[in-house]
Amino acid sequence: MRKILLPLAFACLAAVACNNQASRNAQDTLSGEDTGMTKDMAQDVNKETFENDSVRGATNNISKAAEDGLYEVKLLSDGQAKTTNAAIKKMAAHMLKAHEKLNKELAELTAKKGITIPTVLEDSKIRDIQQITDKTGTDFDKAFVDELVDKHEKAINLFENTANDATDPDIKQLFTKAIPELKEHLTMAKKEQEKLKK
């Protein structure tokens, strides 16, 4: 979805939510409240809200982390349902539980700080997942695990940068706390990736 200027964001919010409804399911939302807010829209709101605030520097990373969290939950949920590989199914279930918990913690923190985060995935992100889930058998397992490796490598980098740069102690704490588990997930995914190469 193209970036919307802030003055139009709220006026268009209901229409955006309706337009995206067909491609949305329960796994697409970060919290119970679905506002139809995408990452670009959230970043526009934060740019105005935190214009002179110390939190502003972290808000783009936070909204990106929230979008990635939405993506991970949908990918893992769809992947767990699709795969017939017992080890990959077990790994996906473990990661899904952890990412749902992290998403909830991030939503609670940002609500406390008044930071706007996305609540839905953009259609392009949903299509990216669909391209993976359209595959079958071993081809699916390889594509799914490869995506988990890629996304966790990027997530670790994002969380480390956010933790290092954050001036707000609560933000620093949440992002720092999440890093070891993200690294554990990466190790798990790489292990399955190697098994699929044999």
Side-chain angles (χ1 to χ4, degrees):
M1 184 177 296
R2 289 180 297 180
K3 192 170 183 179
I4 303 172
L5 295 176
L6 182 61
L8 298 176
F10 295 105
C12 295
L13 203 54
V16 171
C18 291
N19 289 340
N20 284 343
Q21 190 63 45
S23 60
R24 186 182 307 145
N25 62 38
Q27 283 77 37
D28 297 333
T29 58
L30 190 66
S31 64
E33 183 180 359
D34 177 359
T35 62
M37 183 74 66
T38 64
K39 177 176 69 70
D40 285 350
M41 293 166 66
Q43 288 181 345
D44 280 343
V45 173
N46 290 328
K47 184 177 180 180
E48 289 290 323
T49 304
F50 297 101
E51 187 172 0
N52 297 307
D53 194 289
S54 62
V55 177
R56 185 187 176 203
T59 59
N60 281 350
N61 280 356
I62 291 169
S63 61
K64 172 61 176 163
E67 181 187 54
D68 290 349
L70 293 173
Y71 186 93
E72 287 275 5
V73 165
K74 178 157 178 57
L75 175 68
L76 288 163
S77 178
D78 291 355
Q80 181 187 7
K82 175 95 178 184
T83 187
T84 57
N85 182 306
I88 293 175
K89 190 177 287 287
K90 181 179 179 182
M91 176 188 70
H94 173 83
M95 290 185 183
L96 178 60
K97 184 177 180 181
H99 279 280
E100 285 176 335
K101 181 174 181 286
L102 178 57
N103 286 359
K104 182 180 178 183
E105 290 173 351
L106 185 58
E108 289 172 350
L109 175 63
T110 53
K112 176 183 173 184
K113 300 293 180 182
I115 299 170
T116 302
I117 57 172
T119 58
V120 296
L121 286 172
E122 295 183 3
D123 289 341
S124 62
K125 300 290 185 181
I126 295 172
R127 286 194 296 269
D128 289 344
I129 294 173
Q130 189 65 50
Q131 286 182 348
I132 295 170
T133 55
D134 281 346
K135 299 178 186 295
T136 58
T138 305
D139 287 341
F140 165 74
D141 289 337
K142 287 180 178 178
F144 175 59
V145 172
D146 286 350
E147 184 73 352
L148 288 176
V149 169
D150 179 65
K151 289 300 178 187
H152 279 88
E153 287 176 340
K154 290 176 178 174
I156 290 165
N157 184 57
L158 176 64
F159 273 66
E160 287 178 338
N161 287 339
T162 305
N164 290 335
D165 296 342
T167 57
D168 182 279
D170 295 330
I171 293 171
K172 183 180 287 288
Q173 180 183 21
L174 186 146
F175 278 78
T176 301
K177 185 181 75 171
I179 294 168
E181 190 162 37
L182 291 172
K183 288 182 175 180
E184 178 193 347
H185 290 181
L186 178 59
T187 299
M188 293 166 67
K190 283 186 172 181
K191 181 179 177 181
E192 295 304 323
Q193 189 179 53
E194 286 302 313
K195 285 160 65 174
L196 289 167
K197 290 178 181 178
K198 296 177 181 177

